[in-house]
Amino acid sequence: MTASKALRALREAIVLEHLESENEHEFDATVRTFDHPRCEIVATGQVFDGRAEVAGYYARVRDAFPDQRSRLVALRHADDAVIVELELRGTHLGSLRGEEPTGRAFVVRTAAFFVFDEARLVGKRVYGEEVVPAPALTT
């Protein structure tokens, strides 16, 4: 069943609030956009389920990339989701998975599926995140 215009508008507003709070590093507000917080990072197979795990994920990302920001490239609606394409950028200044920080900046295109149950955001599935810049090549 196709979502109504009103439902699509509400979902889009939730997603935009989510993205804006991420850019402002107001992760408590980001977590509150979920009815049930759940983030899946497809590239690594990681799943963060529940408020504590999702808040911990955001804390870890903030520590590794304190200046991380995204720019919305495109937004599309599906029957049970809002799909966004983002340009993600930041600088690797802390450890994400035990690696040494490189101090290098990155820019990467990524996509995220914001999964809804009617008007309730119940999950975020990210494709192409968890990028750790490679150290500079030495010659």
Side-chain angles (χ1 to χ4, degrees):
M1 177 162 74
T2 302
S4 69
K5 281 186 173 183
L7 182 56
R8 283 182 174 210
L10 178 58
R11 289 175 176 176
E12 186 170 321
I14 291 168
V15 168
L16 294 175
E17 177 184 345
H18 182 100
L19 295 173
E20 182 179 333
S21 64
E22 281 183 336
N23 277 342
E24 297 299 322
H25 289 199
E26 295 173 358
F27 297 120
D28 289 340
T30 306
V31 172
R32 284 193 305 269
T33 63
F34 288 98
D35 184 67
H36 175 83
R38 180 180 172 89
C39 289
E40 300 173 32
I41 311 302
V42 175
T44 62
Q46 296 170 294
V47 176
F48 304 95
D49 195 22
R51 292 197 186 282
E53 286 188 18
V54 172
Y57 164 73
Y58 280 115
R60 197 179 93 232
V61 170
R62 178 183 55 233
D63 289 345
F65 307 103
D67 63 343
Q68 181 172 301
R69 299 287 183 275
S70 66
R71 181 182 64 84
L72 182 62
V73 174
L75 183 145
R76 301 283 187 265
H77 292 273
D79 289 344
D80 65 347
V82 174
I83 303 160
V84 297
E85 184 179 357
L86 304 166
E87 180 183 87
L88 189 66
R89 48 178 74 232
T91 310
H92 187 209
L93 299 176
S95 180
L96 186 63
R97 294 185 301 268
E99 78 289 343
E100 288 295 317
T102 65
R104 296 186 60 183
F106 71 91
V107 177
V108 65
R109 290 288 276 267
T110 186
F113 284 59
F114 288 83
V115 181
F116 284 85
D117 179 4
E118 293 300 323
R120 296 178 304 279
L121 178 59
V122 295
K124 178 181 178 183
R125 192 170 302 126
V126 180
Y127 294 85
E129 196 173 305
E130 292 283 333
V131 173
V132 175
L137 297 175
T138 57
T139 55

